[in-house]
Amino acid sequence: MPLQIIVTTLRSSVTKFATHSLGKVIRTQKNTFCSVTLQSKMTSSLTAVKTYERLPKNVIPQLYKLELTPNLENFTFTGKEDVEVSIKESTNQVILNASQLEVQEALFKDPSGSTLKGNVTLDTKDEKVLIKFDESLKIGSGTLSIAFSGILNDQMKGFYRSKYTTPSGEERYAATTQFEAPDARRAFPCWDEPAFKAQFEVTLIAPKDRTVLSNTEPVQQVQHPDNANLQIVKFAPTPIMSSYLLAFIVGEYDFLETITKNKTRVRIYTPVGKKEQGQYALEIASKSLTFFEDYFNIPFPLSKLDHIAIPDFASGAMENWGLVTYREVRILTDPKNTSAINREQTAITIAHETAHQWFGNLVTMDWWTDLWLNEGFASFMEYLAVDSIHPEFDIWSQFASYAALPALKLDSLRDSHPIEVPVAHPDDIDSIFDLISYEKGASIIRMCHDWIGDEAFRKGLHNYLTKHAYKNAVTQDLWDALEEVSGKPVGKVMGYWTKQKGYPVIKVESKQDGNNRIIKLTQRKFTVDGTLNDEESKAQWMVPITIITSQDLNKVALSALMTEKSTEITLPNVTADTWVKLNLRLNGFYRVQYSAEMLKALAPAISTKQLAPIDRLQILDDQFALLMAGQVSSAQFLELLSSYANEDNYVTWVAIDNCISKLDLLLSYTDLSEKFAKFGINFYSKIYNELGFDIKDEKSHTENLLRSLVLLRLAKFKYAPVIEESIKRFKAHVAGTPIHPDIRSSVYRAVASSCDDETFNTFFKLYRDTDLHEEKVRLIQSTGSSGDLARIRQLLNFTFSPEVRSQDAWRVFICTVGTKLGREEAWKFFKDNADEFKRRYGSHMANAFVIEHLTNGFASEEKYKEVESFFLQNSFSGHEKVVLRSLETIKTHADWLKRETDSVRNFLESI
Ligand SMILES: [Zn+2]
């Protein structure tokens, strides 16, 4: 599954922050409002150990022959399965997983033909089914036959229903699946843990006029003998794989197809009548498949790879082997209405899911603890593929804003978690589909790739994937493969990054010694509040270091492995006027704290854009983190910011915008809001005057992304020329002259923030009129920019109305938290509707994003206590850590306001 989908949606809909702090104890300010007793009560209450036992390995499934009959009228299904099993130890009991199923019968047949009837008990709490037999099953083989039934639920997990509208306007339902994680157990009793790999032979009985799909191709398709309206479709056996990768779908679709050079058939399934919206996806899907076959040097093992748009879909996409499922906005593109950023996200998502066909599907993590082996790798590999297909996207620079910065932000919090995270209870599995598994995972893989080099990396991956094909692996297996090829101590070094949470900040000091530069490096853990406890003081990493100098920008002056807490490096032949920079292109997952002189020397390289955009971004982001932690004053930071006055690169602007939006958020709690808006308008006007509203070059991908970013921020600052022009263009848009999709979101938001009632209601009308998912989301999320209480309430009440699909409702909700007023009202709504959030999304990451984005904007002691008290009384199982992280963030905000408001006031009043 791809995480960045959610992140990116938020990027354009919600203020995205860069909260970082430096792990250095210079502040002794007493914590004035965080009650120690309450905090520990909160921690223990929210992180109480949930006991759970994994399935015994005495009985192992080999082949499931699974037959399912979904009923698309009453949303139920019946099923039967014959599972060929291996009995490893004699036992009179078989335990497997089942949830929300009724089991009618369970029989065991041994090879001699004798049959035992099982006594079935369902364990609802632990989602298991226990089948007891009067006699023990002997070591050997046998067939377990189970008859069962269940519901086609509306929760977007397991075997579920998804509503669609036919071209004639009739509402119908498809049956589809989402089994990660762990929800195959909602469709059929199974060993629903990734290490129980088996083959699956699926048969579906469905209305004869529907398209029926599964992981493999059909081998038999016949009319049902007893019902002329039904067809029986039997699919070829799957490869040996984990249960969470199985998929089957019954619905109505059009498709387009192509055959790759290795003769794999690639299809894009679209809603009926919208075939052309799959054209771009087809190009990316086939190119990605070929790219990864070449890169891994391992052919795709199935004869076909389908990608299909599902109208109701909880995450962004799912990598089911041979049948990848997507939410519509991540696969369908409409040339007239799809924005550059959505096209980019479509490419990234398809590349991500295609990478999973090897990383995750061919070789699977042994248990969820190693989820990052799937997600971190797919999140890294997606950039390799997109870079090769679309070099103009400058996607590796964007890696910083999509992956590295969000991961650095989260991982600076005490309630982060290590990449290799112990997971026990099923409720907790969803919660690790987070930035740590995906984006920190991808970031440290990038660091490793950079350190050992592409050739060794590629060869190591080939060996790893070949050795563990159709099996499971743990993190160490990967390190072993990379170590063997590279000859570097990969396991030892990378263990520092996967087994402990957090990361270091490296303090750099330099002195000139004749023609040599002596660089002193000191590492320490980076924590959100700038303090270190005893354990944190001892934390240490092995850090691959790179250094560049102004003497040769295209060459790394020095690469080294930092193995101690402190070290000295000599750079020979470096003149006194040369600047020195660490961490080329943000390849290493760490922050850098330069001495004042070193930073001063770097400033001209920023303003003249001598440094690469990603290096410019990194310096600013690091300094902002230092500001939030109290290591750098506001005056120092704002002086550095002035070096970016001539910035024109999109990626660097993302970092600038992160800082500005965070300051804007914090200062909204002071009387400085208007003064800061004035400062902001001034800062953004130069680039606005260069870019304007009109697209100058359709091909200039990043310039078009930048235009959207600038307009969005200026609208937030209520910059009159942007608001007025937006209203003018919106009126023309409604009258039939469409706004270019690349700026449409920004224009909509500008209008929604400052329009009259009639115009505001036009958004809802347009929402109802369009059937393009991307446009629906864009329209409705824009209305969250309103600063009017009645309109915010109108939108919040719309969130859970039947007009918003459940997959979108939480995103609509989140778009209201971008203003102080909206945040307060959304918090009330959330508290009043907590049960509905739980019912709809449970432990899914949607609720994690809701809690995080709703509460992360608060900045006072009062709100800290309110949030703490609410979640103590209203447990959101699986999201306990998210709540703790939010509390940390609120406290950091409140501390910052106390510490820095006067200093910012002085600055704003002096300009
Ligand atoms: Zn994924």
Side-chain angles (χ1 to χ4, degrees), residues 582-602:
L582 252 73
N583 203 4
L584 175 70
R585 307 283 191 271
L586 190 48
N587 280 340
F589 192 73
Y590 58 91
R591 294 202 172 283
V592 184
Q593 182 184 13
Y594 296 100
S595 67
E597 311 82 70
M598 291 182 81
L599 194 61
K600 206 169 171 193
L602 282 165

Side-chain angles (χ1 to χ4, degrees), residues 19-22 406-418 435-436 440 500-503 525-531 536 662 852 856 881-893:
T19 321
H20 313 291
S21 59
L22 181 68
L408 286 164
K409 173 192 166 192
L410 192 154
D411 209 23
S412 68
L413 295 166
R414 287 213 160 80
D415 283 296
S416 178
H417 63 80
L435 285 168
I436 297 297
K440 183 180 180 184
Q500 63 181 339
K501 63 186 174 185
Y503 58 88
K525 184 177 162 70
F526 199 82
T527 61
V528 72
D529 63 358
T531 63
E536 288 163 346
K662 180 61 168 274
E852 182 189 343
N856 261 358
K881 285 236 170 227
V882 178
V883 175
L884 289 170
R885 290 200 288 257
S886 276
L887 290 173
E888 276 185 274
T889 305
I890 297 170
K891 184 181 176 304
T892 311
H893 289 170

Side-chain angles (χ1 to χ4, degrees), residues 255-259 265-269 275 279 282:
F255 67 83
L256 344 87
E257 70 173 38
T258 188
I259 308 288
R265 193 198 73 201
V266 175
R267 274 188 186 168
I268 307 295
Y269 282 88
K275 214 153 76 165
Q279 197 60 53
L282 185 66

Side-chain angles (χ1 to χ4, degrees), residues 1-2 319 352-353 356 374-375 378 438:
M1 286 193 281
E319 66 265 23
H352 178 102
E353 303 310 325
H356 270 314
N374 282 12
E375 298 304 349
Y438 284 73

